[in-house]
Amino acid sequence: MDKSKIIAKCMAIARTNYLNMPYLENSIIDLYKLGGIETKANGICHYCSTDVFKKIICNGSLRFTDIRCLKDTTEFVGIMQIIESVILEENYNSNFKEFILNSETLQKLRDYEQSYFDIIEEAHIPEEKLYCTYTCSFSTNDNSIRMWDEYAKEGVNICFDFAWDLFAGRKITDTNVRQKQDDGIVMYKGLIIYDEKEKKNCVKKVLNNLEKVYLEVQNVRDQYANFLFYAFKEAVNYMRCFFKNKDYDYEEEYRIVLKVPKDIIKFRRIEGEIKDIGIDEKDRDYIDYKIQRKGIKQVAISPFLSKADADKAECEANALFRLNKLEHVKTVHMSIFPFSKLLDSHLRKKSVENLALGMLQYCYGNTYDGFAIHDAPDISDDTKTVGIEVTEAIDDDVACINGEFNKYRLENNMETKERKKQIIEKHGGTIEEWGLSYPDTDSNFEKIIIQSALRKKMKKLPRYKKKGFKTIGLFIFLNGMPIPVRLETFKNYFDEVLNEYNEKYDIIYFGYSCGLMEYDVVKGNIQAQVINRADYDKLQYEARLKVEADINDEL
C-alpha cells in the first residue's frame, strides 16, 4: 500500500470544492451565461448602516465577525444532523459507519470546537491547530426590499466589481473558491446553499469519497485514522460555513470566510492585511481585514429615505469619496420596486392569487403543500380534494368618494387617471406598484365591498362544483387592514350573502395585511390568525416576483 497515495487522496477530499456540487450537471454555457453560477461573484454587494459605510471607506477594510455570532444561531451546527441522517440512510459499510459516528472528531464537530487539522506541506504530516472562523456577508441581489429593510433601511448598499479583486493575493476568478493568504490565514468565498437536498448531496459526496479510502486501509486503519479524520473534518468545516436555513434564502447570500490561526487572535498580531482585532459593542469577536478600495463600483442610497435625506446622503458620500481619492465610485438612488412592468388588472389578479396561496401555506403549513395556481378555481392540487377561488374586495376596481365612483385601474386616459389618483390619495388611499387601496369612509362601506366580492363569486359556484372538487373554498383579499370589528360581525357579513343562495362555499378565507380569517361555513366556526409583518411583506414581495417571472417568460 502506497502511503503517499493514501495521504494525497485524503488531502484531495479535504480540499475539494463541495459548493460546486449543485452545478455539476450545468454546461459551460449555463455556468458562464448572464446569471450563471460563475458570474455570481460579479457585482456582489454589502448592505450596511451609514456609520459602517464610512468606516469601510475611511479604514479601507471590511469587518469579519466570529461565525458563532450569526443571526441564525443553529447555522454552524445544522450540518451535524445532515451528516448523521446521510450515514444512517445510505448503504455504507457498517464498520465505516461506526468509525465516523463513534469518533471523537464527530463529537468535537458537534460540540462546536473550532480546531482544524492542517498539513505540513513538505512532510505531509497532519498537525492539529486551533483556528477561529470569521465571516462577512454579501448579497448577489443589489436591490432587495427585505435586505434594505433588515440591514440598511437608512443606510447604503456598497457594490463591488468582483469578489476575486476585493483583497490582495492571487486572483482566482471562480465563484466558489478556497485560497491561502498570508500568515496561514485561509480565505473561502462562495454562494450559500439553502436547499436541503443540495446540502445532503454535498455531504454524500464527502462520505462517498471517504468510504472509498477507508475501505482501502480498513485492515490498518489505525495507521491512517488521523488522515481520514483530517479529510472529514476539513470538508465538514468548509461546508458548514456555507449551509444556511432555507428561511433566509431571500438574502441570496455570497459569503467570504476567514480561517485565522488562533495565535494571531490571542496575541493581537495586527500586521499584513489585518487592520484590527477586537470585540465590538455587542460582545462579538471581529477582525477588520484590508480591502482594495479600487474594487468598489458604486454605492446605492436606501430607497426608504425621503428625497431630501437621500440627496443629503449622496452629497456626504461623494465628499467622502473625494477625500479618499475614490472619485470613480458612482452614487445612485434606489427604487423599492425594480419591476419591469406596472400591474394591470390581469397581472394584479395573478399577484393576489400568488399572495393568497402564500398566506395559506404560511398559516396552514403542510395542508397546502403541493397546491398551485390554476384557473377556476384559482388554487388547487392535482387530487381535486380542495379548490379555492380567489377574489379581491374591491368592487370592479371602484371606490366611492364623496358619493362619486372613482374608477382608476380601468381608466385608460392618462390625464384622467392622474386626476383620479390625486383624488384617491387626497382622501387617504394609496396607489403603488404593489397595487392600490381605497379610503374606506366607514365600516359599512367596507362591508359593502366585502359582500360585493362574495356575491360576485357566489354566481360562479355551481360551475366550480361541477369540476368534481370535494371541498370548494373562496379566498377574499383586502389590500390593507380591515376596520376593527368583532369576528362575529364578519361572520354575519358572510352569512347575509350566503343565505341568499341555495348552494354555499364550504369555507371562506378573508386575507388582509398581516392576518387571515377562516370561516368554516359547514361548522359555523370563524377564527383569525396573525401574520408577522415582516413575513407578510415577504409573502407579498414573493407574490410580485412570481408575476415578474411570468412576464419575463412571456417575453
Side-chain angles (χ1 to χ4, degrees):
M1 185 179 298
D2 189 332
K3 183 176 180 179
S4 63
K5 287 185 178 179
I6 297 299
I7 295 173
K9 289 178 181 179
C10 290
M11 290 179 67
I13 292 171
R15 298 185 179 185
T16 295
N17 196 331
Y18 297 98
L19 301 187
N20 285 331
M21 280 295 299
Y23 319 105
L24 290 181
E25 301 300 319
N26 289 21
S27 67
I28 294 294
I29 292 175
D30 287 337
L31 289 173
Y32 288 93
K33 70 181 181 182
L34 186 63
I37 176 66
E38 292 299 348
T39 68
K40 291 289 187 180
N42 302 349
I44 59 169
C45 56
H46 185 65
Y47 291 85
C48 60
S49 67
T50 303
D51 287 341
V52 170
F53 159 62
K54 290 177 180 177
K55 288 177 182 177
I56 290 171
I57 298 300
C58 294
N59 297 340
S61 64
L62 280 167
R63 177 153 295 183
F64 287 74
T65 307
D66 190 315
I67 200 163
R68 293 170 294 182
C69 302
L70 292 167
K71 183 170 66 173
D72 178 6
T73 55
T74 66
E75 182 178 321
F76 199 59
V77 295
I79 194 173
M80 304 314 300
Q81 291 181 337
I82 300 174
I83 291 170
E84 290 169 5
S85 68
V86 169
I87 289 177
L88 295 173
E89 290 169 8
E90 297 298 312
N91 189 29
Y92 292 116
N93 175 277
S94 58
N95 291 330
F96 173 71
K97 288 184 178 182
E98 182 182 348
F99 179 72
I100 296 297
L101 291 174
N102 297 332
S103 68
E104 183 183 350
T105 296
L106 189 67
Q107 189 58 47
K108 284 183 177 180
L109 288 167
R110 192 182 287 116
D111 290 343
Y112 209 74
E113 186 174 320
Q114 291 192 89
S115 61
Y116 294 76
F117 280 113
D118 200 9
I119 288 286
I120 299 175
E121 302 285 354
E122 296 81 7
H124 282 184
I125 299 171
E127 179 183 47
E128 189 168 22
K129 295 181 179 180
L130 289 178
Y131 280 82
C132 297
T133 306
Y134 295 83
T135 179
C136 186
S137 296
F138 303 81
S139 178
T140 59
N141 185 343
D142 67 356
N143 198 17
S144 162
I145 185 173
R146 289 202 67 186
M147 294 294 282
W148 280 116
D149 188 44
E150 290 186 31
Y151 298 105
K153 197 160 190 175
E154 297 180 352
V156 303
N157 169 351
I158 307 172
C159 187
F160 301 92
D161 262 331
F162 308 103
W164 49 264
D165 199 30
L166 190 50
F167 306 96
R170 292 166 56 212
K171 306 303 181 188
I172 304 175
T173 60
D174 295 352
T175 293
N176 298 321
V177 67
R178 170 195 186 275
Q179 62 188 89
K180 205 157 189 176
Q181 303 292 101
D182 294 334
D183 299 323
I185 294 174
V186 178
M187 179 180 288
Y188 298 98
K189 303 173 191 171
L191 291 167
I192 292 295
I193 296 177
Y194 301 99
D195 184 81
E196 293 302 313
K197 185 177 178 181
E198 291 178 355
K199 294 176 190 174
K200 273 194 168 185
N201 286 339
C202 291
V203 171
K204 279 183 192 177
K205 184 67 173 177
V206 174
L207 293 171
N208 290 349
N209 290 341
L210 198 64
E211 184 192 34
K212 289 177 184 177
V213 180
Y214 173 86
L215 293 176
E216 284 187 55
V217 301
Q218 60 180 327
N219 294 331
V220 287
R221 75 179 192 185
D222 290 346
Q223 296 180 29
Y224 293 94
N226 280 350
F227 294 102
L228 291 166
F229 287 132
Y230 152 73
F232 177 60
K233 198 171 186 182
E234 277 291 287
V236 170
N237 277 322
Y238 172 38
M239 291 186 298
R240 77 193 317 183
C241 294
F242 294 89
F243 284 7
K244 197 163 185 174
N245 190 300
K246 64 181 179 180
D247 291 341
Y248 295 94
D249 60 1
Y250 65 89
E251 294 181 343
E252 300 177 59
E253 184 177 346
Y254 185 85
R255 182 174 289 179
I256 300 178
V257 174
L258 295 179
K259 196 172 75 174
V260 184
K262 199 160 188 177
D263 60 335
I264 291 179
I265 308 301
K266 182 178 179 180
F267 299 109
R268 280 193 90 238
R269 283 166 41 195
I270 301 173
E271 57 190 25
E273 302 303 304
I274 296 175
K275 299 275 286 189
D276 192 20
I277 299 171
I279 300 174
D280 66 16
E281 65 280 357
K282 296 181 180 178
D283 291 327
R284 299 176 303 186
D285 292 321
Y286 71 81
I287 280 185
D288 288 344
Y289 201 75
K290 192 183 296 182
I291 63 170
Q292 299 190 113
R293 290 185 296 187
K294 66 179 183 179
I296 300 174
K297 180 171 65 174
Q298 74 171 29
V299 168
I301 309 296
S302 171
F304 287 100
L305 293 178
S306 67
K307 187 177 185 308
D309 288 340
D311 289 342
K312 180 182 177 184
E314 180 180 7
C315 289
E316 291 176 350
N318 288 335
L320 198 63
F321 296 148
R322 287 193 296 272
L323 187 63
N324 289 275
K325 299 181 180 179
L326 295 171
E327 288 89 347
H328 70 279
V329 181
K330 293 192 302 182
T331 308
V332 298
H333 294 201
M334 298 304 277
S335 166
I336 294 181
F337 303 100
F339 299 122
S340 62
K341 186 175 180 180
L342 299 177
L343 293 178
D344 57 21
S345 295
H346 169 69
L347 295 177
R348 169 67 182 176
K349 183 176 187 300
K350 291 295 181 186
S351 182
V352 170
E353 289 169 359
N354 280 294
L355 176 58
L357 177 57
M359 293 173 75
L360 290 171
Q361 291 173 334
Y362 177 92
C363 291
Y364 299 101
N366 295 336
T367 303
Y368 286 98
D369 280 355
F371 280 69
I373 304 300
H374 296 105
D375 186 38
D378 300 309
I379 297 173
S380 63
D381 65 355
D382 294 334
T383 66
K384 288 197 171 183
T385 305
V386 179
I388 300 173
E389 183 66 6
V390 179
T391 190
E392 189 170 4
I394 295 176
D395 187 18
D396 295 326
D397 296 329
V398 170
C400 185
I401 299 175
N402 293 340
E404 176 187 351
F405 284 102
N406 200 65
K407 296 182 180 181
Y408 175 78
R409 280 214 288 289
L410 302 181
E411 179 59 61
N412 292 319
N413 183 284
M414 295 310 295
E415 289 185 11
T416 306
K417 198 177 186 79
E418 179 61 27
R419 181 179 62 81
K420 291 183 175 182
K421 175 185 176 185
Q422 292 173 5
I423 293 172
I424 291 169
E425 291 178 338
K426 179 181 177 181
H427 288 82
T430 59
I431 297 174
E432 301 168 341
E433 287 187 74
W434 284 120
L436 74 168
S437 66
Y438 288 109
D440 296 325
T441 54
D442 54 35
S443 59
N444 187 59
F445 179 72
E446 190 169 80
K447 170 186 174 182
I448 290 172
I449 64 171
I450 292 171
Q451 288 188 330
S452 176
L454 174 56
R455 192 172 281 112
K456 181 171 61 176
K457 290 298 180 180
M458 290 299 299
K459 298 173 184 177
K460 297 182 179 181
L461 179 58
R463 184 174 52 156
Y464 303 148
K465 291 211 167 187
K466 287 180 182 179
K467 295 193 174 185
F469 289 91
K470 295 179 182 178
T471 301
I472 299 290
L474 177 65
F475 191 110
I476 301 173
F477 174 71
L478 179 71
N479 188 31
M481 287 290 290
I483 294 172
V485 294
R486 296 175 53 149
L487 279 177
E488 194 65 27
T489 302
F490 274 102
K491 180 177 178 296
N492 292 336
Y493 289 173
F494 301 136
D495 283 341
E496 285 178 17
V497 176
L498 292 171
N499 291 335
E500 298 172 9
Y501 299 84
N502 293 324
E503 292 187 299
K504 297 177 175 60
Y505 285 96
D506 300 296
I507 191 166
I508 294 175
Y509 294 107
F510 178 57
Y512 49 92
S513 297
C514 304
L516 180 65
M517 291 184 200
E518 176 192 350
Y519 177 30
D520 187 329
V521 179
V522 177
K523 296 180 180 179
N525 299 330
I526 189 167
Q527 58 184 343
Q529 295 192 50
V530 175
I531 300 177
N532 178 275
R533 177 80 236 184
D535 292 335
Y536 177 78
D537 288 344
K538 180 183 178 184
L539 292 172
Q540 194 175 38
Y541 189 60
E542 288 174 346
R544 181 64 177 87
L545 287 177
K546 287 175 183 176
V547 174
E548 185 73 8
D550 290 341
I551 294 171
N552 292 334
D553 288 343
E554 290 173 5
L555 296 176

